[in-house]
Amino acid sequence: MPKRVTRRDFAKVAGAAAIGASAGSTTFAGRAPRQTAGSRPPQTATRPFPDRFLWGTATASYQVEGAATEDGRGPSIWDTFSHTPGKVVNNATGDVADDHYHRYKQDVQLMKALGVKTYRFSIAWPRVFPQGDGVPNPKGLDFYNRLVDELLANGIEPFATLYHWDLPQSLQARVGGWESQDTSHAFANYTGYVTKRLTDRVKHIFTINEFGAFVELGYRLGIHAPGLKLPPGRFNQTRHNAVLGHGLAVQAIRARAKPGAKVGLAENLAVCAPIIETAEHIEAATRATRELNAQYMTVIQEGRYTDLYLKTAGSDAPRFTAAELKTISSLLDFVGINIYTPLYVRADSSPQGFQVVPHPKSFPHMASFWLFVGPEALYWGPRHVATIWNVKDIYITENGCSSSDVPAGDGRVYDTDRIMYLRNYLTQLQRATSEGVPVRGYFLWSLMDNFEWADGYTNRFGLNYVDYQTQTRTPKLSADFYKEVIARNAVA
Ligand code: PNW
């Protein structure tokens, strides 16, 4: 019987070929390889990004700051949730996280080493208003004043998100969090307070990060804080209250901002990629993108819920007024989209005219089970936003991936899988910009490994490896890759 060829055998053969090639030996055909093409970089100049493209990285307060009780910070729903046994892998909490609250100067140097031009961070609401509303805590805002000054002193432009999921626990306890419009109004009040004090230096403000994640995971599926599984009627109302909070915040920001400040949001749009790029599937994917974002991006852009959403929800549809829809759809200066993975869509003969094709079992994904590798998302995401809603300024506010990230003997992490992911995604983003899709910048998630919500510290997304025992940061191989992308302003 012939010996079965194992994966190991395959690797050996491939490895031998690679070693032979790099040593400049003869190929299997017996001819020496041509020297000329060998070490010259490929013509990456053919994949350039627009001039002044804004390269950046991103983090969020609860995931990196730590210092959970310092300088008057109140508890957030994530403190409560992570301290509830069984909610987060290994019962991890953000009590210390990356200790960024104390190490922010060092972290700004990590950004500088990458060569990023901008940094997206979030402001912890319970640092600024420990109870969510009522009396502010100026010491809490001081941290962001220090951070912003440090960024600007190092030539890095700050982009600030006002809500990246750390809702003050007091609002959850007193009014039921986003189940109540009291929270929407408290949010607007807090955003106005911050805007007045930061927009002399921070010129780009995001209201809310990812309705499509925190509302769904926190109030419907119960796997994120506050861990609720609301019935459909109450849940749809919660979705509505969240977008209303966004709209009220846009108005509060406009009322209090210093000249030149711009406002947008950062949404994890459901990106529908056509299974094959034919007219009928592209049309279906476009229609699907509108419908599958009905509760968030679509109502924000169009000022109305789609007929299909309202019809499907029936008596569980949210209750709303025309004035609320007008507030929700307050004009934005730019749109941020967080893109990790697409949905593959095909045209079909159903009344809605599209079908989401499920992933086969063998579909490749990164360390996070949900992070299927679909680089086309970075082409179709911004293209849909530009074509469906005529948006003129788009930012990719998050993109990146988790990887197993085990340090090698020399202490470095050779995350070739992350580089593979980034190179493919950036190639599709470059395809979009080269066709004139108005993408102005890209924020890689994340600057460094951090508290990955319900996954605790198990799934790492950073360009810098964090040793949580010592708080040492070590650039991964992907940091070198990203540095090269930024330096060339082209896919490397
Ligand atoms: C985003 N999903 O969250 C968040 O904005 C970040 O805080 C987070 O660390 C990052 O992506 C990586 O996860 C998501 O289940 C969480 O599809 C979950 C999903 C998507 C995005």
Side-chain angles (χ1 to χ4, degrees), residues 63 164-165 209-210 217 338 340 370 398 445 452-453 461:
Q63 295 181 271
H164 201 125
W165 310 354
N209 180 70
E210 295 198 355
L217 300 174
N338 297 357
Y340 289 91
W370 54 269
E398 287 182 26
W445 185 274
E452 177 56 13
W453 307 113
F461 277 78

Side-chain angles (χ1 to χ4, degrees), residues 285-299:
T286 307
R287 184 200 302 251
T289 299
R290 253 194 94 236
E291 288 298 348
L292 299 181
N293 293 287
Q295 304 86 0
Y296 306 119
M297 189 70 97
T298 306
V299 70

Side-chain angles (χ1 to χ4, degrees), residues 320-332:
F320 56 85
T321 65
E324 285 171 2
L325 292 181
K326 208 162 164 230
T327 301
I328 290 166
S329 57
S330 300
L331 191 66
L332 299 175

Side-chain angles (χ1 to χ4, degrees), residues 129-416:
F129 285 90
Q131 305 298 310
D133 52 15
V135 186
N137 170 43
K139 270 187 149 182
L141 194 69
D142 279 350
F143 169 65
Y144 302 102
N145 276 316
R146 293 195 293 277
L147 174 64
V148 164
D149 290 344
E150 187 71 13
L151 288 165
L152 291 172
N154 283 277
I156 298 169
E157 197 181 334
F159 277 52
T161 307
L162 292 169
Y163 186 75
H164 201 125
W165 310 354
D166 37 7
L167 181 76
Q169 171 62 32
S170 173
L171 282 173
Q172 188 64 42
R174 282 183 290 132
V175 306
W178 292 103
E179 265 207 83
S180 163
Q181 294 190 356
D182 289 353
T183 294
S184 320
H185 287 279
F187 178 60
N189 178 60
Y190 145 73
T191 60
Y193 179 89
V194 172
T195 297
K196 187 171 172 205
R197 290 161 179 79
L198 287 188
T199 50
D200 56 330
R201 288 154 294 152
V202 180
K203 297 302 182 189
H204 291 83
I205 302 274
F206 304 98
T207 55
I208 288 184
N209 180 70
E210 295 198 355
F211 301 94
F214 87 88
V215 184
E216 305 292 318
L217 300 174
Y219 289 83
R220 180 165 66 90
L221 299 171
I223 57 177
H224 276 193
L228 300 176
K229 294 182 183 171
L230 297 179
R234 279 167 64 189
F235 176 65
N236 285 332
Q237 197 61 42
T238 304
R239 288 165 150 177
H240 178 74
N241 297 344
V243 288
L244 178 64
H246 155 82
L248 292 167
V250 173
Q251 297 183 347
I253 292 164
R254 293 230 188 270
R256 311 289 287 276
K258 301 274 190 306
K262 295 180 172 177
V263 58
L265 83 179
E267 174 59 345
N268 60 325
L269 192 77
V271 175
C272 300
I275 46 164
I276 303 168
E277 296 186 359
T278 60
E280 64 163 344
H281 296 309
I282 292 172
E283 202 275 321
T286 307
R287 184 200 302 251
T289 299
R290 253 194 94 236
E291 288 298 348
L292 299 181
N293 293 287
Q295 304 86 0
Y296 306 119
M297 189 70 97
T298 306
V299 70
I300 287 169
Q301 295 294 338
E302 301 182 15
R304 61 184 292 266
Y305 289 111
T306 67
D307 296 338
L308 183 64
Y309 169 51
L310 293 179
K311 196 168 155 233
T312 310
S315 60
D316 290 320
R319 280 164 286 105
F320 56 85
T321 65
E324 285 171 2
L325 292 181
K326 208 162 164 230
T327 301
I328 290 166
S329 57
S330 300
L331 191 66
L332 299 175
D333 298 309
F334 60 87
V335 165
I337 42 179
N338 297 357
I339 296 187
Y340 289 91
T341 194
L343 295 168
Y344 291 101
V345 162
R346 69 179 179 89
D348 77 355
S349 56
S350 67
Q352 62 181 19
F354 64 85
Q355 192 211 352
V356 176
V357 181
H359 290 97
K361 201 162 162 253
S362 58
F363 204 104
H365 64 83
M366 303 303 290
S368 307
F369 73 90
W370 54 269
L371 215 175
F372 295 100
V373 180
E376 318 85 320
L378 225 36
Y379 172 75
W380 288 103
R383 181 176 144 153
H384 285 319
V385 168
T387 54
I388 301 173
W389 299 298
N390 199 23
V391 173
K392 304 281 188 225
D393 284 293
I394 299 171
Y395 290 90
I396 306 301
T397 29
E398 287 182 26
N399 172 243
C401 68
S402 48
S403 160
S404 40
D405 289 344
V406 179
D410 63 1
R412 288 210 67 187
V413 172
Y414 293 91
D415 53 343
T416 49

